[in-house]
């Protein structure tokens, strides 16, 4: 385990390890169970064109900004704000990002738990028993408090165990083999899917361009959401992982372009993995848990060699979700360790314990999980992104950040086009996203709750950090020779 020696800060041992960690953190379940369906329902190839434009025009520059902030400050989220705005209220902005991450992980951990359960049953051959009903199996599992909370606890143990070993000896050592293995497993299932009769209909659903969707605002919003949130922009992961880069390590290539290419490639690979099989067996294309844990499970028993393909699919799915869990949790661990007197071990226990406790309702109730996803996904993450990008774009100044830091020792030169994207475009987009989801769901109690929660969280965090710093300022000083 990483020892708290007080010496130099941990760093990534290799660029490959950093890139794999960042790709693994942002891939997640959304690329596998969401991107294929969203692409198919929003114009196929037209959606993908819009997605790629928005990805490289907005998301990648934002990812670079977040990574450079971490590399420059060599600090976690709160430390990054404190570095430029001083102690007190500004630290509350960083605290908001940390709390949003803990909230996010609280309902993401149950998804990892589901994957572990289904991987175990894929290995046991449960899905291939006569009379197996995937819908009834899912209902029995999700309705068992002992199972879902027990597996939720197992996820906490597995995530915490790796994080105890730190960055280079923990996260890097795991993701260097896990992410390549994810690509291999999904590729194997995709190749098998393409050999099935009717597979081309699935690819046509996902890729055939319906150009009229190019003028549909809903398509642009869907593509924007996929581009921004599939890269993990604003979650604090790129900032935190970037803080473990050396001062001379490249940001634009590793922290932006390669990560985006890897993330997009896995998303496209998921389309080849999922829809050929779904259409080959005449199923309705769906998204989310229904796609992974019901539709696909019903397919594998009918495939030649289905045992192997099912096992490989759920193994790859576990790699995607688990590596994301490591990245999301590390945001809090790094910050807690830096801003308190806790050791890394104690910080891991504190952060993992927080999202484990907060996540019990999501583990027990899919409805509550959906509620949390709506609030944090549509309001929490855009808010966190807004705070980080305002810090880079306005406080530091995007032009200054690009010239003095982003292009320092960079393998790819970033031009002045980057400046207004960071300063104006992304903050405006984040405000638009929150406003859009509130306006279009104004009668939904989740929208009211989400906006109220994030407003209260921001004000409360600022006041809390101001109170803490004021209390420390008023502490009596220790004088030599005093009692």
């Amino acid at each position: 385990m990483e020892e708290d020696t007080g010496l130099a800060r941990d760093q990534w041992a290799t660029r490959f390890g950093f890139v794999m960690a960042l790709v693994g953190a942002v891939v997640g379940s959304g690329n596998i169970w969401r991107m294929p369906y969203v692409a198919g329902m929003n114009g196929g190839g037209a959606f993908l064109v819009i997605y790629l434009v928005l990805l490289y025009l907005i998301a990648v520059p934002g990812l670079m900004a977040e990574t450079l902030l971490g590399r420059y400050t060599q600090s976690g989220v709160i430390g990054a704000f404190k570095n430029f705005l001083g102690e007190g209220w500004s630290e509350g902005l960083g605290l908001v990002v940390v709390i949003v991450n803990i909230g996010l992980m609280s309902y993401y951990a149950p998804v990892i738990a589901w994957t572990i359960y289904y991987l175990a049953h894929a290995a046991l051959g449960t899905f291939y028993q006569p009379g197996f009903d995937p819908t009834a199996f899912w209902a029995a599992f999700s309705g068992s408090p002992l199972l879902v909370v027990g597996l939720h606890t197992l996820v906490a143990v597995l995530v915490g165990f790796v994080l105890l070993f730190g960055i280079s000896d923990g996260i890097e050592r795991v993701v260097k083999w896990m992410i390549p293995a994810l690509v291999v497993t999904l590729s194997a299932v995709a190749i098998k899917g393409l050999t099935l009769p009717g597979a081309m209909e699935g690819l046509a659903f996902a890729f055939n361009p319906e150009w009229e969707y190019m003028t549909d605002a809903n398509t642009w919003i869907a593509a924007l959401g996929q581009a921004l949130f599939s890269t993990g922009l604003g979650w604090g992961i790129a900032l935190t992982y970037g803080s473990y880069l050396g001062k001379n390590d490249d940001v634009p290539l590793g922290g932006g372009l390669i990560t985006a290419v890897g993330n997009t490639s896995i998303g496209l690979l998921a389309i080849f993995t999922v829809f050929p099989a779904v259409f080959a067996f005449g199923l309705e294309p769906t998204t989310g848990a229904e796609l992974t844990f019901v539709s696909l499970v019903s397919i594998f028993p009918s495939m030649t060699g289905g045992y192997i393909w099912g096992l490989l699919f759920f193994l790859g799915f576990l790699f995607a979700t688990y590596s994301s869990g490591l990245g999301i949790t590390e945001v809090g661990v790094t910050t807690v360790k830096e801003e308190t007197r806790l050791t890394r071990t104690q910080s891991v226990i504190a952060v993992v314990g927080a999202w484990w406790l907060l996540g019990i309702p999501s583990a027990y109730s899919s409805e509550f999980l959906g509620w949390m996803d709506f609030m944090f996904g549509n309001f929490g993450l855009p808010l966190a992104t807004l705070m980080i990008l305002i810090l880079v774009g306005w406080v530091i100044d995007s032009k200054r950040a690009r010239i003095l830091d982003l292009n320092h020792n960079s393998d790819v030169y970033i031009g002045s086009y980057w400046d207004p994207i960071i300063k104006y475009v992304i903050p405006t987009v984040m405000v638009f996203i929150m406003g859009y989801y509130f306006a279009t769901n104004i009668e939904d109690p989740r929208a009211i709750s989400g906006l109220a929660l994030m407003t209260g969280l921001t004000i409360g965090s600022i006041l809390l950090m101001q109170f803490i710093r004021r209390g420390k300022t008023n502490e009596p000083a220790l004088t030599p020779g005093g009692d």
Side-chain angles (χ1 to χ4, degrees):
M1 290 186 291
E2 181 189 89
E3 297 181 4
D4 299 284
T5 60
L7 301 177
R9 203 165 184 267
D10 196 1
Q11 286 191 348
W12 301 103
T14 63
R15 175 190 281 190
F16 179 75
F18 164 69
V19 172
M20 289 299 98
L22 195 51
V23 170
V26 303
V27 166
S29 60
N31 271 23
I32 297 176
W33 75 13
R34 184 176 185 272
M35 185 168 176
Y37 178 79
V38 173
M41 294 301 293
N42 288 277
F47 168 87
L48 292 175
V49 170
I50 297 171
Y51 164 76
L52 290 172
V53 168
L54 295 175
L55 177 73
Y56 289 98
L57 181 64
I58 296 178
V60 171
L63 206 58
M64 292 178 187
E66 189 177 337
T67 307
L68 82 81
L69 184 60
R71 185 186 68 171
Y72 180 84
T73 61
Q74 297 285 287
S75 300
V77 177
I78 291 179
F81 281 87
K82 180 168 57 178
N83 190 286
F84 291 99
L85 293 170
E87 296 183 343
W89 68 270
S90 66
E91 295 171 284
L93 303 180
L95 181 59
V96 170
V97 179
V98 173
I99 294 174
V100 166
N101 268 267
I102 291 174
L104 171 64
M105 188 60 193
S106 74
Y107 67 85
Y108 192 74
V111 179
I112 305 176
W114 302 344
T115 309
I116 292 174
Y117 186 72
Y118 271 70
L119 175 61
H121 280 277
L124 292 171
T126 304
F127 308 146
Y128 314 99
Q129 300 297 321
F132 174 77
D133 183 346
T135 303
F137 183 80
W138 168 254
F141 164 60
S142 59
S144 170
L146 183 62
L147 265 178
V148 293
V149 175
L151 286 167
H152 178 62
T153 304
L154 176 61
V155 171
V157 172
L158 293 175
V159 169
F161 177 75
V162 171
L163 295 184
L164 289 175
F165 290 88
I167 299 299
S168 57
D169 290 336
I171 297 174
E172 182 171 1
R173 184 173 292 179
V174 170
V175 298
K176 281 172 67 174
W177 65 265
M178 185 173 283
I179 303 308
L182 163 64
V183 174
V184 170
T185 55
L186 289 184
S187 297
V189 180
I191 292 171
K192 173 60 181 178
L194 291 174
T195 66
L196 298 172
M200 292 304 105
E201 294 180 23
L203 295 184
F205 175 79
F207 288 110
N208 272 1
E210 299 178 49
W211 298 116
E212 62 269 22
Y213 279 87
M214 294 287 285
T215 58
D216 188 335
N218 290 324
T219 300
W220 283 85
I221 292 170
L224 178 64
Q226 187 68 28
L228 290 173
F229 301 128
S230 70
T231 57
L233 176 60
W235 299 12
I237 297 174
L239 189 161
T240 302
Y241 278 1
S243 74
Y244 292 102
L245 289 169
K247 285 289 189 179
N248 293 317
D249 285 336
D250 170 84
V251 167
L253 193 61
L257 293 173
I258 295 179
T259 300
V261 169
N263 178 64
T264 304
S265 299
I266 292 175
L268 294 176
L269 185 59
I271 293 176
F272 284 95
T273 301
V274 172
F275 277 143
V278 167
F279 275 80
F281 288 92
L283 300 179
E284 285 294 320
T286 57
T287 186
E290 183 182 355
L291 170 67
T292 305
F293 301 110
V294 178
S295 297
L296 290 177
V297 169
S298 69
I299 288 173
F300 293 127
S302 302
M303 295 171 61
T304 303
Y307 176 87
I308 296 297
W309 307 122
L311 189 63
L312 288 176
F313 174 79
F314 282 108
L315 186 63
F317 197 76
L318 177 60
F319 290 161
T321 54
Y322 181 69
S323 58
S324 294
L326 293 176
I328 297 168
T329 306
E330 182 59 39
V331 174
V333 171
T334 292
T335 299
V336 169
K337 180 177 180 294
E338 289 178 352
E339 302 300 327
T340 68
R341 298 177 182 178
L342 299 180
T343 64
R344 181 172 183 89
T345 298
Q346 293 168 334
S347 299
V348 169
I349 294 172
V351 174
V352 171
W355 63 247
W356 173 83
L357 185 62
L358 185 62
I360 289 176
S362 293
Y364 181 72
S365 168
S366 296
E367 182 179 352
F368 187 85
L369 187 153
W371 190 289
M372 290 286 287
D373 185 39
F374 187 92
M375 292 193 299
F376 281 87
N378 296 327
F379 297 100
L381 293 177
L383 177 63
T385 305
L386 179 65
M387 291 177 176
I388 291 175
L389 270 294
I390 285 178
L391 180 60
V392 177
W394 290 89
V395 178
I396 303 173
D397 185 72
S398 53
K399 181 178 180 180
R400 179 169 174 262
R402 175 179 59 84
I403 294 173
L404 298 181
D405 190 85
L406 183 62
N407 283 323
H408 172 68
N409 206 39
S410 171
D411 293 331
V412 177
Y413 178 79
I414 303 301
S416 59
Y417 70 89
W418 188 83
D419 305 346
I421 292 174
I422 302 304
K423 195 165 190 173
Y424 301 108
V425 177
I426 299 180
T428 302
V429 167
M430 292 304 111
V431 173
F432 168 77
I433 288 174
M434 290 186 284
Y436 173 82
Y437 279 105
F438 181 76
T440 55
N441 297 277
I442 193 141
E443 296 183 359
D444 189 333
R446 296 178 303 174
I448 305 292
S449 300
L451 189 61
L453 175 63
M454 296 310 150
T455 302
L457 176 61
T458 303
I459 296 172
S461 296
I462 290 173
L463 293 176
L464 174 63
M465 295 308 297
Q466 186 75 5
F467 175 79
I468 290 173
R469 291 304 177 190
R470 185 175 298 170
K472 289 186 176 182
T473 301
N474 294 333
E475 288 180 356
L478 296 177
T479 58
D483 294 332

